[in-house]
Amino acid sequence: MSTRDYYALLGVSSDSSTHEIRDAYWRHVRTYSTGLEPGDRLRELREAYETLTDPYRRAQYDLGGDGAGSAAAGPEAVAAAATITTATIPPIRPYPEPEPVEAEPAYHSRNPLDRMTARLPRPWRIAIDWIVTIAGAIAIVLAIKAWVVNPYRIPSSSMEPTLHCARPGAGCESRLSDRVLANRFIYHFRNPRRGEIIVFNTPTAAAEAACNASGTFVKRLIGLPGETVNERNGTIFIDGKRLNEPYIQRSRRDHRSGTWKVPADHYFFMGDNRIQSCDSRAWGSVARGALIGEVFMTYWPPNRISFHFVGGAIALGLFLYVPLRRRRRSGLR
């Protein structure tokens, strides 16, 4: 390769200084090092740099016409032309060959939906993902309502003052109706217990005939299967023993009397507001299969949030106690 080729390769002229040649060399190195196969090009650049920065080799090329007349010029001419001492030549740093870049391993998702839609365009994948997410959320909500927990609204005053209905309904005391949550799976694991507030479906024909209403009711469980419920002037007796009912206000007791035998696998319900409750005294006992679930919490309105069983009170206490305990500990630090 001739001197002109070296100059052209680095993009410099014959009167360029060593520093200019060095700068041009590293500028080209940075350019060609980004390629996929820079080895041959970098070797040519290095050879041109070493030739043009060596004062004796450069003098031979410049005086001898690319080395052809170097012998005729003589060593004196070569030495005179080599005006740049080797001490002023900047050292060339070794330039390592670039290591091959390994391709990143392809990401394999464990999500079956991602694998199924991997070949689809991105907008389609996003749309399908949203549709599946929304459908899944709706399915989860419906499943929870059907088998776990379901909300109900108190429409009448039959459970006053335990559960409020909204004015101007007859006997209602609150501006807003209470909203309650019923545990729909609890009775798959145990039997109903006396005193629990339960959501159930009434015997349709009997309830329509007695109360002109039927459907889903909320009442308190009074009589268990096989028991005899007796009311004497508003006081309830179970198998001859008086039932303690602290949830009944004296002003809300009626003065009725009667006796009812609870069949096997049936339950006897009454409202806490006896004077305005159409209950099992009017339309009879309720079969076990008609029970929906136990009312365990009032969640609306906010000032009426409460639990209706002992375990709920314990859960509420833990819910309030643990954060307060942590706050006190953090304040001591």
Side-chain angles (χ1 to χ4, degrees):
M1 184 178 293
S2 66
T3 308
R4 289 189 299 271
D5 294 334
Y6 289 145
Y7 286 134
L9 183 63
L10 293 177
V12 296
S13 61
S14 59
D15 57 349
S16 298
S17 66
T18 304
H19 293 285
E20 292 174 342
I21 295 173
R22 178 197 60 187
D23 294 339
Y25 168 72
W26 286 113
R27 184 169 59 252
H28 284 77
V29 166
R30 285 192 294 270
T31 300
Y32 288 107
S33 63
T34 59
L36 296 179
E37 297 181 357
D40 294 338
R41 193 65 170 175
L42 289 177
R43 280 191 289 272
E44 292 179 358
L45 289 170
R46 187 183 182 92
E47 180 182 353
Y49 175 82
E50 292 176 347
T51 300
L52 297 181
T53 55
D54 186 296
Y56 298 101
R57 295 177 63 183
R58 181 174 177 180
Q60 288 177 349
Y61 275 95
D62 290 340
L63 294 176
D66 296 338
S70 59
E76 293 83 0
V78 173
T83 58
I84 303 176
T85 63
T86 57
T88 63
I89 301 174
I92 182 171
R93 298 190 302 269
Y95 188 83
E97 292 290 337
E99 297 181 357
V101 179
E102 296 183 1
E104 295 184 359
Y107 173 72
H108 298 285
S109 174
R110 296 184 179 180
N111 187 345
L113 183 62
D114 291 343
R115 294 198 296 268
M116 292 172 59
T117 60
R119 299 180 180 274
L120 296 178
R122 188 170 183 272
W124 281 94
R125 295 201 306 270
I126 295 175
I128 293 174
D129 184 66
W130 273 104
I131 292 173
V132 173
T133 300
I134 294 173
I138 294 174
I140 291 172
V141 171
L142 294 178
I144 290 175
K145 286 173 61 68
W147 295 301
V148 183
V149 175
N150 198 35
Y152 295 91
R153 182 180 66 87
I154 305 303
S156 69
S157 62
S158 65
M159 287 297 292
E160 291 279 3
T162 307
L163 300 175
H164 290 313
C165 60
R167 295 188 295 266
C172 297
E173 297 183 354
S174 179
R175 185 174 63 88
L176 299 172
S177 293
D178 283 359
R179 306 282 178 141
V180 299
L181 295 176
N183 185 338
R184 296 181 66 102
F185 66 87
I186 187 66
Y187 295 140
H188 293 287
F189 301 97
R190 66 169 178 85
N191 292 322
R193 298 167 183 168
R194 192 189 328 276
E196 292 179 342
I197 302 174
I198 297 177
V199 180
F200 58 91
N201 293 316
T202 58
T204 303
E208 287 285 353
C211 309
N212 196 27
S214 62
T216 303
F217 280 21
V218 178
K219 304 288 183 183
R220 192 179 296 274
L221 177 56
I222 300 298
L224 301 177
E227 294 181 340
T228 299
V229 179
N230 179 252
E231 184 179 18
R232 305 173 192 172
N233 196 27
T235 302
I236 302 298
F237 295 84
I238 303 296
D239 292 337
K241 296 181 180 180
R242 181 174 178 173
L243 180 63
N244 182 27
E245 297 183 289
Y247 42 80
I248 303 294
Q249 294 181 352
R250 179 175 298 180
S251 61
R252 297 183 182 277
R253 289 187 180 274
D254 58 12
H255 300 283
R256 296 173 60 180
S257 297
T259 301
W260 300 269
K261 178 67 176 179
V262 183
D265 205 31
H266 282 65
Y267 296 87
F268 194 90
F269 292 93
M270 299 176 69
D272 290 355
N273 186 14
R274 299 286 164 79
I275 58 177
Q276 292 184 330
S277 176
C278 184
D279 47 41
S280 290
R281 295 172 296 177
W283 34 257
S285 300
V286 179
R288 171 67 180 266
L291 305 187
I292 296 175
E294 176 194 7
V295 172
F296 68 92
M297 180 183 181
T298 298
Y299 70 92
W300 186 263
N303 63 326
R304 293 272 298 159
I305 293 177
S306 59
F307 290 91
H308 299 288
F309 67 108
V310 176
I314 296 175
L316 179 61
L318 291 174
F319 178 76
L320 296 177
Y321 174 77
V322 172
L324 289 175
R325 184 72 174 177
R326 290 181 177 177
R327 187 175 302 173
R328 289 175 183 174
R329 288 181 178 177
S330 61
L332 292 175
R333 293 178 180 176

